[in-house]
């Protein structure tokens, strides 16, 4: 298959373009998604190519966008809808939790909700309180949902295609800090574009990255760092800068997840650091910590560390004191190695 | 506080009637039968403004069908409507007893509202999809192809419950009968119906959606999203608001009904709207047909406020004598839908007291037989249920490893 250099934006667009072409039941809509092509350009050109009955603009109503998608799914369509920022999904929470997640269960399979909800998430862009949040735990806690987050263009395309094809409702979180290039937390250095990164090489045609499959992003022997999204690159920088040979797992599918890959890694290294941008208390890291503890207890040589956003709303001016950068992650790496 | 300016006061609406005080139903703004015009189905939403504040009625006090809304319906269809209403009421009454006998954990009747769902069901075409609330059992009971036994098995949560015991009684799901899965969360289905209609339009289909909501639930945000999306995309959907005056203990005024109508909300959002006598089966049929024709003709959505009265308790967990007059239904000016259609049919020589009694007895026997048959498959009370392992199925299409592990854990625990 031919391979092209793509940003994450282009890779996501390529996935949607392909699925619109392959499956007549795929429809795409959301705020500014149609004519304008999305505020992040992820759907640029799709309306012109497929027409406004397949790709269209929606009123500013997250509950309406998701609620209508559930109805379309019940009809037999496969809607891929966008919530402009993950910070704005809250008005749709009732539809997501009470309806999309439960429809198959409560109707014993009579009706299903094969929908994908795309949401740009994460900080590191001076987005302040309502353009930076990482609400993944509010989805991973909900039975019936799949929560997915890619960290690079190649995974982004393969995971989005797999999500669209999946018959369960999928929350597809896109770290907007990674849209144009990988980011390791060194905000004072120039942006590295995806064109300069091997994971920016994306097959042009159809392929999937299976859900519930984690990947070893960086093999190592000293400790296991479990991360997803932007934090994968932060962990990589922390390993480089501390000289600690960390094995970095990119979860990709947050829930349901690929437990065997995690367990095999922690059993090998005996040490574990869990890293996410989201706030710490009851964050997804707590579930990961519990799972590692349950499954790897007799292999652990140190307490499991969690590096996360502080338990505060996401600040504007204090962005880099809030964002878990390579220095904070590196400090955690050193602590688990000392134990 | 500035001098001379009256201090502000919070207005909290109250019903005129409370236990021991008769309700003053003059707030309803009724029209006489035959008085309200019937616009063409092509009418622009703005041209329905007057219809949102008046009341479409066909049957007059003597049970005669009068005015422009008299539907084309032969006696056989009207008799079918009457039987569907009687069946619904008898079904409700029997299930209420079954709940009191502790065979069923919970039940909700639609006493007094039977005309709306049964009349509407007979105005739709096969393949249309209803997104009902928990008080539209008439949509199912009006159909000959829906088994009462299946419905009762859902109520009993037994081994034959098509929903495998996962749902509260009354929360039916029957895709093949055009009946969407009922959710406990109010109003959520109203916007989903609009999405279903949009999907039908996207695919160039001919099927339409029918959305259902009560007066109280119009205050939920999904009511607003549904009207907005239906209007924006001209979705082929009928937006039904069943105004039975009560949301559990709250009078419809506290939902925003004071000095206005729910039909008026539709006009405000650019949707053609009607306000219809919900206890007049002929008006229900005629208005439903009008809205269905409009939707099917790509002429856009309609909103219908059905004015009726919740004659029974909200549910088996509710005691209405604590918040409204005990004899309220007897004073409700739109009466009883079954009595009114029976009166009309007797008037045209298509029904008799003898037939009524015989039909009543036949339906009672049918419902009792269905209950008896359903009980053969067990009930929540006697423990004949879907196995606990079924609890873990259908959360996802394929059971993920963590649910497989939890199912094994439960099995091991149960083995001891």
């Amino acid at each position: 298959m031919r391979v092209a250099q793509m940003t994450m934006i282009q890779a996501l667009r390529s996935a949607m373009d392909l699925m619109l072409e392959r499956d007549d039941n795929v429809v795409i809509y959301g705020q500014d998604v149609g004519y304008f092509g999305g505020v992040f350009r992820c759907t640029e050109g799709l309306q012109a190519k497929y027409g406004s009955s397949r790709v269209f603009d929606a009123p500013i109503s997250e509950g309406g966008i998701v609620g209508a998608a559930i109805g379309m799914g019940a009809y037999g369509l496969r809607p891929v809808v966008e919530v402009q920022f993950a910070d704005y999904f809250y008005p749709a929470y009732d539809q997501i939790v009470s309806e999309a997640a439960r429809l198959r269960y409560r109707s014993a399979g009579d009706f299903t909700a094969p929908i994908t909800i795309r949401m740009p998430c994460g900080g590191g862009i001076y987005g302040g309180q309502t353009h930076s949040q990482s609400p993944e735990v509010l989805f991973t806690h909900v039975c019936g949902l799949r929560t997915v987050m890619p960290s690079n263009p190649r995974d982004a395309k393969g995971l989005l295609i797999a999500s669209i094809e999946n018959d369960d409702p999928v929350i597809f979180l896109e770290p907007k800090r990674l849209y144009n290039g990988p980011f390791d937390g060194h905000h004072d250095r120039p942006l590295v574009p995806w064109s300069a990164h091997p994971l920016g090489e994306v097959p042009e045609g159809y392929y999937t990255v299976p859900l519930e499959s984690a990947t070893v992003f960086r093999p190592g022997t000293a400790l296991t760092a479990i991360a997803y999204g932007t934090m994968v690159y932060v962990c990589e920088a922390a390993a480089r800068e501390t000289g600690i040979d960390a094995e970095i797992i990119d979860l990709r599918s947050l829930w349901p997840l690929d437990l065997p890959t995690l367990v095999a890694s922690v059993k090998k290294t005996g040490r574990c650091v869990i890293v996410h941008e989201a706030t710490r208390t009851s964050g997804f890291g707590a579930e990961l910590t519990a799972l590692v503890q349950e499954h790897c207890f007799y292999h652990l040589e140190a307490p499991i560390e969690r590096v996360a956003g502080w338990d505060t709303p996401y600040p504007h001016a204090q962005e880099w004191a809030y964002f878990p950068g390579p220095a904070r992650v590196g400090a955690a790496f050193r602590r688990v190695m000392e134990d | 506080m500035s001098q001379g300016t009256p201090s502000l006061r919070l207005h909290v609406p109250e019903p005129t009637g409370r236990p021991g005080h008769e309700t003053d139903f003059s707030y309803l703004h009724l029209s006489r039968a035959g008085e309200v015009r019937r616009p063409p189905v092509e009418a622009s939403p703005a041209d329905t403004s007057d219809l949102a504040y008046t009341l479409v009625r066909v049957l007059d006090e003597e049970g005669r069908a009068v005015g422009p809304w008299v539907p084309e319906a032969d006696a056989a269809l009207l008799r079918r409507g009457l039987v569907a209403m009687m069946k619904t009421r008898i079904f409700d009454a029997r299930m209420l007893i079954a709940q009191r006998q502790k065979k069923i954990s919970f039940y909700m009747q639609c006493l007094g509202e039977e005309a709306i769902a049964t009349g509407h069901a007979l105005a739709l075409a096969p393949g249309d999809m209803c997104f009902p609330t928990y008080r539209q059992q008439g949509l199912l009971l009006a159909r000959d192809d829906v088994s009462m036994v299946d419905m009762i098995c859902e109520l009993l949560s037994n081994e034959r419950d098509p929903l495998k015991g996962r749902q509260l009684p009354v929360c039916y799901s029957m895709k093949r009968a055009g009946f969407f899965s009922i959710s406990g969360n109010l109003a959520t289905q109203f916007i989903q119906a609009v999405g279903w209609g949009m999907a039908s339009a996207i695919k160039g289909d001919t099927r339409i959606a029918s959305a259902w909501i009560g007066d109280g639930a119009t205050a939920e945000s999904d009511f607003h999203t549904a009207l907005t999306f239906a209007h924006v995309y001209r979705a082929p959907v009928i937006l039904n608001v069943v105004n039975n005056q009560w949301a559990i203990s709250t009078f419809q005024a506290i939902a925003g009904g004071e000095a206005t109508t729910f039909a008026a909300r539709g006009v405000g959002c650019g949707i053609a709207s009607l306000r219809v006598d919900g206890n007049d089966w002929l008006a229900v049929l005629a208005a439903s047909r009008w809205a269905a024709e409009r939707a099917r003709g790509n002429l856009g959505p309609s909103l219908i406020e059905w004015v009726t009265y919740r004659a029974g308790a909200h549910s088996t967990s509710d005691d209405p004598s604590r918040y409204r007059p005990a004899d309220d239904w007897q004073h409700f000016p739109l009466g009883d839908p079954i009595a009114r259609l029976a009166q009309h049919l007797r008037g045209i020589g298509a029904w008799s007291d003898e037939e009524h009694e015989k039909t009543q007895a036949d339906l009672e026997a049918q419902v009792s037989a269905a209950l008896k048959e359903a009980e053969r498959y067990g009930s929540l009370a006697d423990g004949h249920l879907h196995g606990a392992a079924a609890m873990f199925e259908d959360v996802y299409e394929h059971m993920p490893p963590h649910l497989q592990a939890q199912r094994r854990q439960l099995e091991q625990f149960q083995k001891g």
Side-chain angles (χ1 to χ4, degrees), chain B residues 179-326:
Chain B
F179 191 97
F180 184 71
S181 158
I182 294 176
S183 169
N185 298 70
L186 294 182
T188 50
Q189 74 288 343
F190 217 54
I191 174 70
Q192 291 163 5
V194 176
W196 197 98
M198 289 169 69
S200 188
I202 287 168
K203 299 301 280 185
D205 198 347
T206 59
R207 295 181 289 163
I208 63 170
S210 177
W212 294 84
I213 200 166
D215 47 287
T218 61
E220 292 281 6
S221 57
D222 282 334
F223 175 70
H224 184 78
T225 65
L227 267 58
T228 301
F229 277 61
H231 163 70
V232 168
Y233 299 109
R234 218 172 284 171
V237 59
I238 306 172
L239 300 157
N240 298 282
V241 180
V242 181
N243 179 4
N244 67 16
Q245 318 306 319
W246 291 95
I248 309 184
S249 74
T250 47
F251 181 56
Q252 58 100 30
I254 213 118
E258 196 170 63
T260 184
T261 71
F262 294 101
R265 263 65 156 186
V267 177
C269 288
I271 295 171
S273 301
L274 304 173
R275 189 166 170 270
V276 180
D277 180 345
N279 292 2
D280 178 341
W281 200 87
L282 289 168
V284 172
L285 181 72
S288 298
R289 282 178 174 176
W290 183 88
E293 191 183 337
R294 191 176 161 82
R296 234 180 282 283
N298 274 311
L299 298 164
S302 309
L303 184 144
I304 306 176
E305 175 184 348
W306 304 105
V307 179
T308 184
Y309 186 84
R310 195 196 78 210
H314 164 71
S315 74
T316 50
S317 307
D318 174 49
D319 174 10
S321 72
R322 295 168 64 94
Y323 52 80
R324 71 182 190 188

Side-chain angles (χ1 to χ4, degrees), chain A residues 133-149:
Chain A
Q133 296 170 34
S134 297
E136 62 270 18
V137 77
L138 298 176
F139 306 113
T140 55
H141 185 60
V142 179
C143 44
L145 295 181
R146 292 182 177 275
T147 304
V148 174
M149 193 192 297

Side-chain angles (χ1 to χ4, degrees), chain A residues 190-206:
Chain A
L191 172 88
V192 181
W194 281 116
S195 57
H197 197 281
L199 290 169
E201 286 175 9
V202 179
E204 287 186 329
Y206 172 91

Side-chain angles (χ1 to χ4, degrees), chain A residues 3-63:
Chain A
V3 168
Q5 284 291 334
M6 293 188 200
T7 65
M8 194 186 278
I9 290 166
Q10 291 165 331
L12 293 164
R13 188 193 305 147
S14 169
M16 288 186 271
D17 188 351
L18 223 127
M19 289 311 293
L20 280 163
E21 194 178 307
R22 285 172 70 95
D23 185 346
D24 285 344
N25 289 325
V26 170
V27 293
I28 291 174
Y29 66 95
Q31 191 189 332
D32 300 307
V33 157
Y35 181 84
F36 182 59
V39 293
F40 292 108
R41 319 310 303 153
C42 289
T43 53
E44 190 171 29
L46 297 180
Q47 185 180 68
K49 188 169 173 185
Y50 295 97
S52 59
S53 67
R54 302 282 307 282
V55 181
F56 51 92
D57 287 314
I60 305 174
S61 169
E62 294 78 10

Side-chain angles (χ1 to χ4, degrees), chain A residues 19 45 47 69 73 91 101 115 128 149 183 205 227 231 242 247 259 269 319 331:
Chain A
M19 289 311 293
Q47 185 180 68
I115 66 178
M149 193 192 297
F183 178 65
M231 288 302 128
T242 57
E247 177 150 295
L259 189 61
T269 63
E319 172 108 61

